[in-house]
Amino acid sequence: MTNLRNRLIFSGQFVFTLLVAAFLIVPALLSMLAGVTVNYFTGIRSGLTLQWVIQVWELYADTIARSFVIALAALAVTLVVGVPAAYALHVRGGRFARIVEEIITLPLAVPGLAIALALLLTYGGFSDFRRSWLFILAGHVVFTMPFMVRSVMAVFSAIDVKTLDEGAASLGASPWRRFRDVIVPNAKPGILAGSLMVVTLSLGEFNLTWMLHTPLTKTLPVGLADSYASMRLEVASAYTLVFFVMIIPLLVAMQIYADSCGRKTARR
Amino acid sequence: MTHKFFTRLCLVPLIAVIAAFFVLPMLRVIVVGGSGDMGLHAYAAIILEPRFRATLINTLVLASVTTALSLAIATIAGLFLQRHRFPGRALLVAMLTFPLAFPGVVVGFMIILLAGRQGLIGALSLPLAGEKWVFAYSMQGLLLGYLYFSIPRVILTIMAAIEKLDPSLEEAARALGAGPWAVHRDVILPALMPAFIASGAIAFATAMGAFGTAFTLATNINVLPMLIYTEFTLSANIAMAAALSVGLGLVAWAALALARAFSGGTVAAAG
Amino acid sequence: MNTTQGVTVRVENCAKTFADGTRALDPVTLDVARGETLVFLGPSGCGKTTMLRIIAGLEKPDSGGRVLFNAQDVTRIPIERRNVGMVFQSYALFPNMNVAQNIAYSLALRGAGKAERDSRVAELVALTGIEGLENRNIDQLSGGQRQRVALARAVAMRPSVLLLDEPLTALDAALRERLRGELDRLLRTLGITTIYVTHDQSEAMTLGDRIVVMRKGAIAQVGSPRDIYFKPASRFVAEFIGAANIIDAVSDNGVLVLPGGRLAVDKTGHGQVAAMIRPESIGIISPEAAFLVGRVASVSFTGDRQRLVVDGASDKPLIVDASNTLAVKIGDTVGLTVAPSAIQFLQGA
């Protein structure tokens, strides 16, 4: 009796979970399929083709390249600025550090649209800056910085980096040597996780970028929005397919990495 | 060089970058919001002006419904996935969290592919129900889009919380004679409450600020981010756009501050 | 670089008040002799770790306090230039370096060549008994091995002072006892000035030339292990170190008057006193021959001895350690005897 009921509950939940997964995954598969179908309306019978992908490449190659440049530049800035700051915030502690942490985390709460508006109102008058991709970079740095800082800080509190720092100091290492020899090498898991986050988020950032871009500084997601509005479904799908191809390896890397970290801590 | 000096040096670039590209601009928005034709009344207009108020209520309702549905869906699926080990489970989890990094515009496109004029739902409903269901650009379509980006976020937090649940709590309740229903009502759901609050606030804040999805789908629906966008670009009503941005930012920030007070973990809104 | 085997350490008027206003340490003045092992002993929160961190240079004393190594004021010198070897409670071994790299790190910082580093590492792994582990990663080591690596690393640069902060606390009881002996031998071999912090009294007894018992940010007593054990200066020290019976009674011309009889003591005059008697100093004899009798309330057999609780003899139950062969059971009436020299009167009764 209870056995039957348990089986029913199990099956019900299983079907429900499958349906949710289907809701999330089916459209993504559809778009990948549509991107390589000759005519989506007729369906797969019309045959498979790479013509849409090629067309996307011809039309939008510059947006793809620009997205990568911005993502890597955002990564470079968040690394150089964020990692030392995460260290300082962690070891200093106290009210000042908490306030700084609070402020740099605000961009997670404030919608990108508002940040973009703020940047436009403040720097819109500096037309050289406004017109260059660096303007978009500034927005991406603000948006991704908390992910880098917090992911590195999480590692610092997990490995008790303060004591490692004191240990190195007791052996005679100067603050800079400690940072180079002990802090950074041991922060690697957090730096790597933060880097994956920064690149992934930057590549997919739309809310800020749509407001900040100019016709000459379009990024991939901006181009996507363009194509959804003005291109035939197959081209839009092919473009989305290109985006998936770029972003999925990053997502998989993040997943694998999170799993291996989880196992490592579980083993200890 | 002392340690104190060194750590101070480490903070200088961060403070410079954040001050220049976040703090100053945000202060500027607050000032601009109060310096249009209406002056500081622009802030009051968010609530007093019927058109803005309707949009605000619309957005709040949409975000609340999204949050409630995401929580319910994620709890059912999350409990199932953490309770049972079966072949293909890892794949299922991956599928449920896969859309996490999709930009809002892509989410909008996914809904178009599901419920648009050439969408799957329409194609299926035509032979089954005799009519083509097309609702991508309606309120239902927008809600579906919001659910699409909320579910993965919420499910991750809830699954993590379920994993951390002390199994002896449930065992103790059962030893005391509680049936499966009572165990859930009295032990498991209360223990998950912090995760509900945390992930609910994230879902809510994200939904409030979601621009990309609305940009793709909400051509005829007024939600706050779209209103800000049109005020800024089409009406060139910069002060009102700024005031609305400040209001939107405050609501989203308040929701997340609440979440953090309860969870203490990293909570982030994006998309 | 100072390569002598240790320095004298003087802590002068060092107090510590933290930024939030909590007072961790009242002004303390102390001297540590060259080559001596001084142990700070006390319950958690007594200020012993703060004391160690001030000597290390990890905390600054409140103004007016000074730390001197060989009469040289080092108060303003940061830890990285004090040449102190430190073993942390969590060991603070660098996970990104292997065992040999950890041990040789201080030498590398000082510009030592590879040959010099290798020979010093070989010397230290032999001294600490961890040969063969040189290329292991830290997460491949057991707790005891980590402790030895931490010690080898701390002494690699021949520090002026060796500071150990609860170095055995993270280990299980059996291992702790074994390493305590090894540590004692090692510290004597090195002959280096050592300051050791612990909350474990048997560790303090084994390792310390002198023990500083601390309580609530102040020194309760300084003395040799024997002094501290047999002549505690206060009720707190008596009760913190080992088991103690503290009897509040009236002393009347060489006799303590108790509910169960009387005890002869080396004290003239008349007055209220607090007398401390260790459980092992109380002998069990037949009640007929005794001046003090009581009733056995409980017997716990621990193998090497049996611990009795005897009611009715004093104002509160007495703890008595008896031989493990004594035939005694709950309810027996027993006679108690204590040598007058084993009764210690406490100040501030």
Side-chain angles (χ1 to χ4, degrees):
Chain A
M1 181 69 192
T2 42
N3 206 357
L4 181 69
R5 203 179 70 176
N6 283 348
R7 288 190 69 109
L8 270 175
I9 292 174
F10 177 87
S11 312
Q13 280 187 307
F14 182 59
V15 169
F16 180 83
T17 311
L18 271 187
L19 279 175
V20 177
F23 163 55
L24 297 174
I25 223 71
V26 166
L29 294 177
L30 283 179
S31 88
M32 293 187 206
L33 190 65
V36 292
T37 306
V38 174
N39 186 326
Y40 183 66
F41 190 68
T42 335
I44 198 89
R45 276 164 296 150
S46 59
L48 297 178
T49 177
L50 279 178
Q51 60 167 317
W52 310 122
V53 177
I54 294 165
Q55 196 178 335
V56 163
W57 188 256
E58 283 162 357
L59 286 169
Y60 296 111
D62 64 315
T63 66
I64 298 167
R66 190 170 297 108
S67 271
F68 270 111
V69 168
I70 291 175
L72 292 177
L75 175 60
V77 176
T78 49
L79 279 176
V80 170
V81 173
V83 177
Y87 165 69
L89 290 176
H90 179 80
V91 297
R92 285 176 74 100
R95 206 164 58 153
F96 178 72
R98 270 206 309 281
I99 292 172
V100 171
E101 204 192 330
E102 186 67 30
I103 290 174
I104 65 155
T105 328
L106 269 181
L108 300 185
V110 179
L113 197 63
I115 300 174
L117 200 66
L119 282 167
L120 278 171
L121 291 176
T122 313
Y123 296 106
F126 301 84
S127 56
D128 283 344
F129 181 44
R130 168 79 186 87
R131 276 198 297 264
S132 91
W133 61 275
L134 294 172
F135 194 49
I136 296 172
L137 176 64
H140 283 209
V141 165
V142 167
F143 172 59
T144 55
M145 187 67 80
F147 291 92
M148 179 64 84
V149 172
R150 292 199 137 204
S151 134
V152 175
M153 282 181 79
V155 172
F156 284 158
S157 44
I159 62 170
D160 189 12
V161 83
K162 211 168 169 178
T163 311
L164 288 183
D165 196 25
E166 289 178 351
S170 76
L171 295 168
S174 66
W176 163 243
R177 284 300 295 265
R178 266 130 69 188
F179 186 72
R180 199 193 73 180
D181 296 348
V182 175
I183 310 296
V184 171
N186 287 305
K188 258 185 202 150
I191 294 176
L192 198 62
S195 300
L196 284 169
M197 279 297 266
V198 167
V199 172
T200 310
L201 289 172
S202 171
L203 283 178
E205 212 301 317
F206 174 79
N207 295 359
L208 279 159
T209 320
W210 180 259
M211 301 285 284
L212 300 180
H213 85 278
T214 69
L216 294 176
T217 58
K218 282 185 185 166
T219 63
L220 202 165
V222 169
L224 276 177
D226 248 10
S227 74
Y228 295 158
S230 58
M231 292 284 160
R232 56 182 296 165
L233 192 73
E234 289 83 352
V235 175
S237 293
Y239 200 0
T240 310
L241 176 64
V242 170
F243 174 72
F244 284 159
V245 167
M246 284 164 46
I247 209 102
I248 287 173
L250 287 165
L251 289 175
V252 171
M254 261 197 270
Q255 186 71 45
I256 291 173
Y257 188 66
D259 284 353
S260 76
C261 280
R263 264 202 300 281
K264 225 176 183 173
T265 40
R267 204 181 49 203
R268 273 184 187 161
Chain B
M1 180 165 54
T2 67
H3 188 232
K4 207 164 191 169
F5 182 74
F6 181 77
T7 55
R8 215 170 272 173
L9 212 62
C10 284
L11 279 176
V12 169
L14 179 78
I15 291 175
V17 167
I18 293 301
F21 298 119
F22 182 66
V23 177
L24 286 178
M26 287 317 288
L27 293 176
R28 175 114 185 98
V29 170
I30 295 170
V31 172
V32 169
S35 58
D37 298 337
M38 290 190 278
L40 285 172
H41 293 298
Y43 286 109
I46 301 174
I47 291 166
L48 297 178
E49 167 90 28
R51 186 166 62 101
F52 296 155
R53 187 173 57 214
T55 305
L56 179 67
I57 291 172
N58 226 5
T59 317
L60 285 171
V61 169
L62 181 62
S64 307
V65 173
T66 304
T67 307
L69 284 176
S70 303
L71 282 176
I73 292 168
T75 308
I76 296 172
L79 279 171
F80 174 74
L81 288 167
Q82 290 294 38
R83 288 279 171 73
H84 305 285
R85 292 290 179 269
F86 50 88
R89 177 187 170 274
L91 182 70
L92 207 51
V93 173
M95 281 159 72
L96 287 167
T97 50
F98 166 69
L100 203 59
F102 287 11
V105 269
V106 172
V107 172
F109 187 58
M110 297 294 111
I111 300 307
I112 292 174
L113 285 173
L114 270 184
R117 276 176 284 276
Q118 297 184 53
L120 182 68
I121 292 175
L124 292 177
S125 71
L126 190 57
L128 292 176
E131 62 176 321
K132 202 167 169 182
W133 293 344
V134 175
F135 56 89
Y137 302 97
S138 70
M139 199 66 177
Q140 293 93 310
L142 197 60
L143 175 64
L144 213 55
Y146 279 29
L147 283 176
Y148 192 96
F149 63 67
S150 296
I151 289 171
R153 278 171 231 282
V154 177
I155 235 173
L156 267 186
T157 319
I158 298 217
M159 277 179 66
I162 295 171
E163 196 172 10
K164 278 194 209 123
L165 276 187
D166 182 358
S168 61
L169 281 180
E170 185 178 342
E171 287 159 7
R174 285 172 58 189
L176 295 169
W181 170 242
V183 166
H184 278 88
R185 185 195 54 205
D186 300 331
V187 177
I188 295 177
L189 295 183
L192 291 178
M193 197 46 86
F196 289 150
I197 292 170
S199 56
I202 298 169
F204 181 80
T206 313
M208 283 300 295
F211 175 57
T213 310
F215 183 79
T216 321
L217 298 177
T219 38
N220 299 315
I221 305 163
N222 271 330
V223 287
L224 207 44
M226 283 306 286
L227 179 67
I228 295 171
Y229 178 67
T230 50
E231 284 295 311
F232 184 69
T233 50
L234 303 181
S235 326
N237 189 352
I238 291 167
M240 199 58 227
L244 287 165
S245 294
V246 172
L248 178 60
L250 276 179
V251 173
W253 172 81
L256 281 160
L258 186 78
R260 240 177 350 147
F262 279 95
S263 73
T266 307
V267 288
Chain C
M1 186 174 120
N2 194 339
T3 53
T4 58
Q5 285 293 292
V7 296
T8 62
V9 175
R10 182 173 168 80
V11 174
E12 210 173 82
N13 202 26
C14 280
K16 182 72 191 176
T17 312
F18 284 111
D20 61 358
T22 35
R23 179 79 167 208
L25 199 62
D26 290 329
V28 165
T29 299
L30 256 181
D31 282 290
V32 191
R34 184 187 307 269
E36 183 186 26
T37 298
L38 185 77
V39 179
F40 285 100
L41 173 67
S44 64
C46 70
K48 58 189 193 297
T49 295
T50 307
M51 190 72 245
L52 188 80
R53 290 172 67 87
I54 287 174
I55 297 171
L58 289 168
E59 306 280 357
K60 275 207 175 61
D62 293 350
S63 67
R66 296 204 301 162
V67 178
L68 300 108
F69 287 2
N70 272 349
Q72 184 206 348
D73 189 346
V74 296
T75 319
R76 305 201 151 276
I77 296 179
I79 180 168
E80 61 260 32
R81 288 191 276 118
R82 277 196 197 187
N83 202 42
V84 292
M86 188 151 177
V87 176
F88 293 80
Q89 185 172 354
S90 61
Y91 309 136
L93 296 175
F94 309 134
N96 58 313
M97 303 181 191
N98 65 22
V99 169
Q101 287 166 333
N102 262 284
I103 297 175
Y105 183 62
S106 62
L107 305 171
L109 285 171
R110 286 160 174 76
K114 186 167 175 0
E116 188 190 340
R117 296 204 303 262
D118 287 351
S119 76
R120 182 75 177 141
V121 168
E123 194 183 318
L124 286 165
V125 295
L127 186 70
T128 49
I130 47 171
E131 296 102 326
L133 302 181
E134 291 89 336
N135 295 317
R136 289 270 186 94
N137 286 329
I138 300 307
D139 59 8
Q140 298 170 303
L141 301 179
S142 69
Q145 290 167 339
R146 285 177 200 212
Q147 201 275 331
R148 289 168 224 232
V149 176
L151 189 66
R153 184 181 74 174
V155 299
M157 58 180 175
R158 299 190 169 82
S160 314
V161 190
L162 182 59
L163 306 170
L164 302 109
D165 184 9
E166 306 248 13
L168 302 178
T169 303
L171 306 170
D172 62 68
L175 188 58
R176 199 155 59 217
E177 194 153 336
R178 206 177 79 222
L179 282 181
R180 191 159 69 207
E182 273 182 40
L183 199 55
D184 186 40
R185 177 184 57 80
L186 204 69
L187 292 180
R188 305 213 179 276
T189 315
L190 293 168
I192 187 174
T193 310
T194 302
I195 297 169
Y196 192 108
V197 163
T198 184
H199 68 272
D200 180 322
Q201 36 139 337
S202 44
E203 237 170 87
M205 295 282 171
T206 315
L207 296 168
D209 294 320
R210 275 191 305 154
I211 296 175
V212 180
V213 183
M214 297 193 67
R215 182 198 191 192
K216 292 181 182 166
I219 292 178
Q221 190 174 1
V222 184
S224 71
R226 278 163 212 283
D227 281 351
I228 300 273
Y229 189 78
F230 291 116
K231 295 180 191 137
S234 65
R235 202 176 271 258
F236 167 77
V237 175
E239 285 179 331
F240 187 72
I241 312 279
N245 294 297
I246 295 175
I247 298 168
D248 293 298
V250 172
S251 167
D252 190 12
N253 278 327
V255 172
L256 272 189
V257 182
L258 296 173
R262 52 210 160 78
L263 269 181
V265 291
D266 289 334
K267 192 175 180 78
T268 51
H270 179 94
Q272 183 74 26
V273 295
M276 192 277 299
I277 309 172
R278 295 288 179 193
E280 69 274 16
S281 308
I282 305 180
I284 301 280
I285 55 174
S286 98
E288 292 80 34
F291 292 106
L292 181 64
V293 292
R295 206 181 61 88
V296 176
S298 78
V299 181
S300 350
F301 182 71
T302 58
D304 56 340
R305 57 186 155 84
Q306 45 192 339
R307 174 157 285 189
L308 317 180
V309 175
V310 177
D311 278 345
S314 171
D315 56 329
K316 44 188 168 280
L318 287 179
I319 302 166
V320 180
D321 280 352
S323 138
N324 54 7
T325 54
L326 181 78
V328 63
K329 61 180 188 300
I330 294 175
D332 286 358
T333 300
V334 289
L336 304 173
T337 167
V338 185
S341 61
I343 299 172
Q344 176 70 27
F345 291 98
L346 302 174
Q347 310 290 316

